[in-house]
Amino acid sequence: SDLFNEAIACFKKAIILKPVYALAYYNLGDAYFAVGQKPAAMRCYRLVNNLDPKLAQDLLNYIEKTEKERELSRRKTNGQRI
C-alpha cells in the first residue's frame, strides 16, 4: 500500500506538470483503485476518456482481452471445456 501511495503522489506531480497527460491520469486511477479509492479511480478514468478517447478505448480493449485470457486460463486449470 505504501508503494501505491507513493505512486499516487508521483502521478499527481506529473499531472501538475502536464495537466493534459492522459496516461498519468490512467495510472493514477489504477493506483487509487489498488488502495480501494474506487470513486477517485473512476474520476481519473473519466478524465482519460475526455483527454484521449483513443487511449481510453485502447486501454479498455487491453483490459477486456486480458480478462478473457485469464478466464480461459482459469477454465483450463479447472479442467473445464472451453
Side-chain angles (χ1 to χ4, degrees):
S1 180
D2 287 341
L3 288 176
F4 287 112
N5 287 322
E6 247 181 83
I8 289 169
C10 290
F11 292 126
K12 283 182 173 182
K13 287 179 186 175
I15 291 166
I16 288 169
L17 295 172
K18 188 174 178 184
V20 295
Y21 188 20
L23 193 55
Y25 283 102
Y26 174 77
N27 290 323
L28 178 59
D30 279 353
Y32 276 136
F33 194 83
V35 296
Q37 295 184 33
K38 292 179 185 175
M42 292 306 298
R43 283 192 299 275
C44 290
Y45 296 146
R46 283 189 202 98
L47 283 167
V48 172
N49 192 49
N50 291 340
L51 292 170
D52 190 341
K54 184 184 179 329
L55 174 64
Q57 187 60 54
D58 290 347
L59 292 168
L60 181 60
N61 291 342
Y62 173 76
I63 291 166
E64 288 174 350
K65 178 184 174 206
T66 302
E67 288 300 314
K68 286 178 185 175
E69 289 171 354
R70 284 184 188 153
E71 178 62 21
L72 286 174
S73 178
R74 186 188 64 75
R75 286 183 180 184
K76 285 180 184 176
T77 301
N78 293 334
Q80 296 178 352
R81 286 189 161 187
I82 298 172

